[in-house]
Amino acid sequence: GIKSVVTIHDLIFLRYPEYYKPIDRKIYNFKFRYACQVADRIVAISECTKRDIMHFYHIPEEKIDVVYQGCDPQYSVRVSESRKSEVRLKYDLPEKFILNVGSIEERKNLMLAVQALKDIPSDVHLVAIGRKTPYVNKIMDYVAENNLEDRVHLIHDLPHKDLPAVYQLATLFVYPSRFEGFGMVVAEAMACGVPPVAFACPCGPKDIIRDGEDGLLAKNGDVEDLAEKICLLIERDELRKRMGSRAREHVRRFDIDTIMQQWRQLFDEVTS
């Protein structure tokens, strides 16, 4: 007799089954389907996840609420120049770099950002921060074959407290992921005033980025268009700064207080 609400982050294991072991897919599918069927309400963390729940599990739209994830307040705080200098020295970060954050795995598609470097000015580096997986070997083989060792920097196990400084040192943020439930790191970059460039795939980041306003969306899977969008922001300082400022304002819709209010309203409706 107790009311229940379940949060579904994504159904990537159904969209991209090749990234999961068969036994894991079977277990996830059983648990997620059952939870969606028996819960009184379902929270999806993006419009994309909501569509997937309706598509794969045939759940009626009126049972699903979209409540975005909250962005950690630490990213909205401006980091001092001395602290940024300390972090730059600690990780030997280049003067001008594109940043990517997230597990370095196949689905996150970092390879396309690496491939885009050939069409980006040579003084611009790529810094990727995230958990190491076997996919890293594939990336580093490409880096070695194309003489990019000096321009590609992979950092693993970076402490959470150092991330805001790294974000704010970046020239821009790039996120070529094939699919995300939400894409929290895009919101983190925007909270730091760093404009993102992501692919226009029908997934989470499209809920966050207003194309041409506070970031840019490249054609899905198109390396040349990705490089073109990155170059546009690198070459046009005023545009990049304007987008960064708008991004910082826009991402306030994901602050903790706003998200809390939405949850309170949802619980009130469920229990009334």
Side-chain angles (χ1 to χ4, degrees):
I2 298 174
K3 297 287 186 178
S4 61
V5 178
V6 64
T7 300
I8 302 294
H9 288 255
D10 60 69
L11 297 180
I12 297 174
F13 63 92
L14 294 176
R15 282 284 177 195
Y16 291 91
E18 64 271 25
Y19 297 140
Y20 298 82
K21 297 176 182 177
I23 185 63
D24 289 341
R25 294 201 307 267
K26 183 172 287 191
I27 292 170
Y28 295 159
N29 194 35
F30 173 80
K31 290 167 65 176
F32 281 45
R33 184 187 298 275
Y34 177 80
C36 287
Q37 289 172 344
V38 303
D40 292 286
R41 289 280 272 276
I42 300 165
V43 169
I45 65 166
S46 68
E47 291 291 341
C48 176
T49 297
K50 177 181 176 179
R51 290 192 299 269
D52 278 355
I53 294 168
M54 294 167 61
H55 171 74
F56 288 109
Y57 295 147
H58 309 292
I59 301 296
E61 183 175 7
E62 58 269 20
K63 188 178 177 178
I64 309 169
D65 295 270
V66 174
V67 179
Y68 295 116
Q69 293 184 292
C71 190
D72 192 310
Q74 74 165 343
Y75 296 105
S76 300
V77 179
R78 293 188 183 275
V79 179
S80 68
E81 291 303 317
S82 61
R83 173 62 177 152
K84 285 193 284 188
S85 297
E86 176 188 329
V87 170
R88 187 190 296 278
L89 186 63
K90 181 178 179 180
Y91 298 104
D92 194 23
L93 296 174
E95 187 63 33
K96 189 181 293 187
F97 66 92
I98 303 159
L99 178 65
N100 173 269
V101 176
S103 296
I104 304 175
E105 58 183 283
E106 191 87 32
R107 176 174 59 84
K108 302 286 188 178
N109 217 12
L110 180 64
M111 179 66 81
L112 267 67
V114 176
Q115 292 171 341
L117 285 176
K118 71 180 186 303
D119 297 319
I120 296 170
S122 59
D123 64 330
V124 179
H125 296 232
L126 173 65
V127 173
I129 297 171
R131 179 175 61 85
K132 186 177 182 179
T133 72
Y135 181 60
V136 168
N137 298 327
K138 184 177 178 181
I139 289 174
M140 296 315 295
D141 286 344
Y142 180 89
V143 166
E145 290 165 7
N146 292 272
N147 301 314
L148 293 170
E149 292 94 338
D150 293 338
R151 297 181 65 194
V152 176
H153 313 265
L154 305 185
I155 302 174
H156 312 295
D157 302 319
L158 184 137
H160 189 62
K161 63 182 176 63
D162 289 344
L163 261 178
V166 178
Y167 273 120
Q168 293 180 37
L169 284 166
T171 305
L172 58 90
F173 187 77
V174 64
Y175 205 58
S177 180
R178 288 189 174 93
F179 198 89
E180 294 291 326
F182 181 65
M184 176 56 72
V185 291
V186 175
E188 291 172 357
M190 293 171 70
C192 287
V194 182
V197 178
F199 280 137
C201 51
C203 62
K206 283 189 72 176
D207 286 9
I208 308 172
I209 301 170
R210 297 174 301 177
D211 188 26
E213 291 290 320
D214 39 48
L216 295 175
L217 295 172
K219 297 173 187 173
N220 198 20
D222 190 326
V223 178
E224 291 183 2
D225 194 44
L226 180 67
E228 185 178 313
K229 296 291 193 300
I230 290 171
C231 286
L232 176 66
L233 289 183
I234 288 172
E235 293 165 2
R236 297 179 59 183
D237 289 346
E238 285 304 315
L239 175 64
R240 188 177 68 252
K241 290 175 183 176
R242 185 164 66 249
M243 281 191 175
S245 178
R246 288 174 178 169
R248 190 185 288 274
E249 291 297 317
H250 178 59
V251 85
R252 286 180 179 173
R253 65 195 288 229
F254 307 119
D255 70 35
I256 298 299
D257 289 338
T258 301
I259 302 301
M260 257 195 325
Q261 288 172 9
Q262 292 172 338
W263 274 103
R264 283 174 180 154
Q265 181 179 341
L266 172 62
F267 289 147
D268 286 344
E269 293 173 1
V270 171
T271 57
S272 63

